[in-house]
């Protein structure tokens, strides 16, 4: 299947800590002119409320105003992204809870986010998970390993300690750009985030 810059990317937002990572990733995708189709789990809405000042509704409005953004509730299992017949450039689940990682690792497609991820795996499209949990149990690691073996990119939100003057905003921005590169939408990280070695 061929895809063009007008082909959407799917973003699943789940109930791990790190709502800021979801907001920054959607912002960066839309800023780059990439259409986004998103869904957010009910747990993610609780985390969002707890961690961010901007309400989820306000963010949805802001994203919708770009004309590039579509939202489906996670219960809407008949949405376009539940089928492999809709061409997409892949999916990012950011942040990804251990519950969603477990479900996706086992093909348990009981909501739209999990089903859209299942579709990416079966259609061999890029799938990027930004898992957030610490410490990780053997259950978490085994699920993430199963997914990595299927070609899923496991991209934990690790700070780039080699960069100077790190702030949370800068780390979040770094991870959002890492997701974009992992999806194959950019060849390399912006200069400001690159390791400046000899
Ligand atoms: C404030 C808050 C923070 C949470 N942080 C995490 C987390 O960092 N990682 C995680 O795996 N689950 C976390 N959870 C638990 C998940 O939200 C829970 O397992 C939920 O069932 C995940 O559902 P979902 O994957 O459909 O979003 C958190 C829950 C709340 C309310």
């Amino acid at each position: 299947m061929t895809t063009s810059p007008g082909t959407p990317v799917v973003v699943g937002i789940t109930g791990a800590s790190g709502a800021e990572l979801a907001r920054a990733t959607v912002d960066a995708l839309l800023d780059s002119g990439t259409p986004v189709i998103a869904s957010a789990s009910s747990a993610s809405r609780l985390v969002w409320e707890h961690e961010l000042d901007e309400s989820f509704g306000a963010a949805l409005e802001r994203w919708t105003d770009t004309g590039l953004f579509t939202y489906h509730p996670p219960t809407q299992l008949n949405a376009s992204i539940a089928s492999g017949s809709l061409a997409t450039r892949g999916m990012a689940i950011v942040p990804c809870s251990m519950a969603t990682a477990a479900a996706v690792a086992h093909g348990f497609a009981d909501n739209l986010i999990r089903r859209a991820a299942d579709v990416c795996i079966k259609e061999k499209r890029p799938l990027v998970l930004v898992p957030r949990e610490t410490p990780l149990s053997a259950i978490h690691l085994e699920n993430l390993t199963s997914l990595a073996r299927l070609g899923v990119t496991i991209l934990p939100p690790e700070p780039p300690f080699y960069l100077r003057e790190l702030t949370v905003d800068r780390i979040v921005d770094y991870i959002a750009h890492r997701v974009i590169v992992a999806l194959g939408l950019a060849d390399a990280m912006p200069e400001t985030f690159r390791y400046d070695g000899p």
Side-chain angles (χ1 to χ4, degrees), residues 28-86:
L29 286 165
L30 294 174
D31 283 352
S32 71
T34 307
V36 171
I37 305 178
S39 185
S41 72
S42 50
S44 82
R45 306 284 291 271
L46 295 177
V47 177
W48 187 291
E49 260 173 45
H50 185 71
E51 296 183 353
L52 300 182
D53 292 332
E54 182 184 35
S55 72
F56 187 70
L60 282 188
E61 244 177 69
R62 191 165 57 72
W63 292 334
T64 303
D65 284 348
T66 63
L68 292 170
F69 182 79
T70 308
Y71 180 76
H72 298 292
T75 49
Q76 198 180 340
L77 277 161
N78 63 350
S80 56
I81 54 171
S83 167
S85 60
L86 178 82

Side-chain angles (χ1 to χ4, degrees), residues 13-18 41-47 95-98 100 132:
I13 306 172
T14 69
S17 183
S41 72
S42 50
S44 82
R45 306 284 291 271
L46 295 177
V47 177
C96 183
S97 72
M98 291 305 107
T100 289
R132 215 268 12 147

Side-chain angles (χ1 to χ4, degrees), residues 31-162:
D31 283 352
S32 71
T34 307
V36 171
I37 305 178
S39 185
S41 72
S42 50
S44 82
R45 306 284 291 271
L46 295 177
V47 177
W48 187 291
E49 260 173 45
H50 185 71
E51 296 183 353
L52 300 182
D53 292 332
E54 182 184 35
S55 72
F56 187 70
L60 282 188
E61 244 177 69
R62 191 165 57 72
W63 292 334
T64 303
D65 284 348
T66 63
L68 292 170
F69 182 79
T70 308
Y71 180 76
H72 298 292
T75 49
Q76 198 180 340
L77 277 161
N78 63 350
S80 56
I81 54 171
S83 167
S85 60
L86 178 82
T88 73
R89 303 178 81 186
M91 176 176 189
I93 306 183
V94 51
C96 183
S97 72
M98 291 305 107
T100 289
V104 175
H106 292 273
F108 192 61
D110 64 333
N111 69 28
L112 183 60
I113 298 168
R114 296 168 182 190
R115 169 61 188 166
D118 206 39
V119 166
C120 280
I121 292 171
K122 82 183 174 76
E123 301 291 340
K124 304 201 179 342
R125 294 177 188 159
L127 176 61
V128 179
L129 264 50
V130 181
R132 215 268 12 147
E133 186 53 281
T134 196
L136 291 163
S137 74
I139 296 173
H140 303 149
L141 290 166
E142 279 170 9
N143 288 331
L144 294 172
T145 301
S146 301
L147 290 165
R149 290 206 171 105
L150 289 168
V152 175
T153 300
I154 307 299
L155 201 159
E158 308 277 1
F161 291 110
Y162 52 85

